[in-house]
């Protein structure tokens, strides 16, 4: 799952159970829709990308820099996870929003496309709830 800084899910995907998460890194970024900006043309990519230590590899860092995205990925063995933890809780909160739906907590569907459809629906409902909340 990719989300913005506020925790709104932008892209969700489902993979096999025993596939490492870093293999879904590039396809999720490629599936990211155009970002609407207030002035000028629409941006096609985010400015920064924050990720876990599991996504730290020379290939991912070069791929992000090639696309003009500043990688903010903690280096394993060098940086502690505390600084990244300030931003990671947003992702953890968004994941808990998505899996708060009973249909997604236990996977009832045998087919992956049905589970993906329910996951996308849960992401849309989460975005609606967050954006439709009246500001005080």
């Amino acid at each position: 799952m990719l989300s913005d800084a506020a925790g709104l899910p932008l892209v969700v995907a489902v993979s096999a159970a025993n596939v490492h998460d870093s293999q879904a890194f590039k396809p999720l970024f490629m599936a990211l829709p155009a970002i609407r900006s207030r002035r000028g043309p629409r941006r096609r990519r985010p400015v920064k990308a924050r990720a876990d230590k599991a996504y730290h590899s020379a290939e991912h860092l070069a791929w992000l820099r090639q696309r003009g995205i500043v990688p903010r990925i903690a280096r394993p063995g060098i940086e502690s996870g505390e600084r990244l933890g300030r931003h990671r809780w947003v992702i953890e909160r968004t994941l808990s929003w998505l899996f708060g739906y009973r249909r997604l907590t236990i996977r009832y569907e045998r087919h992956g496309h049905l589970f993906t459809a329910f996951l996308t629906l849960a992401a849309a409902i989460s975005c609606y709830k967050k954006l439709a909340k009246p500001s005080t």
Side-chain angles (χ1 to χ4, degrees):
M1 176 187 68
L2 286 180
S3 75
D4 66 351
L8 294 175
L10 300 174
V11 179
V12 292
V14 177
S15 65
N18 53 356
V19 175
H20 195 267
D21 292 341
S22 65
Q23 292 182 356
F25 189 75
K26 291 179 186 177
L28 284 175
F29 269 97
M30 297 297 283
L32 194 62
I35 300 169
R36 179 173 293 220
S37 58
R38 294 178 190 235
R39 291 188 213 116
R42 291 182 176 193
R43 294 184 302 162
R44 292 283 176 197
R45 61 185 72 88
V47 177
K48 289 187 256 183
R50 298 186 188 275
D52 253 353
K53 292 180 184 182
Y55 299 98
H56 186 274
S57 70
E59 179 186 354
H60 288 147
L61 294 174
W63 188 81
L64 287 172
R65 287 188 185 116
Q66 183 181 11
R67 279 154 182 74
I69 301 171
V70 178
R72 301 281 190 216
I73 303 173
R75 296 174 290 179
I78 298 173
E79 296 171 336
S80 68
E82 289 181 18
R83 290 179 51 208
L84 186 62
R86 289 182 285 188
H87 305 284
R88 181 168 170 75
W89 72 270
V90 175
I91 295 293
E92 296 296 334
R93 180 189 65 188
T94 305
L95 285 172
S96 70
W97 285 346
L98 293 180
F99 289 105
Y101 296 97
R102 186 177 65 103
R103 189 84 183 200
L104 297 176
T105 304
I106 299 173
R107 187 169 174 176
Y108 294 105
E109 289 78 27
R110 290 178 176 249
H111 302 287
H113 66 279
L114 293 175
F115 186 76
T116 305
F118 282 117
L119 183 63
T120 306
L121 181 62
I125 291 171
S126 297
C127 287
Y128 176 75
K129 285 180 179 179
K130 182 77 173 171
L131 295 174
K133 193 184 298 184
S135 60
T136 55

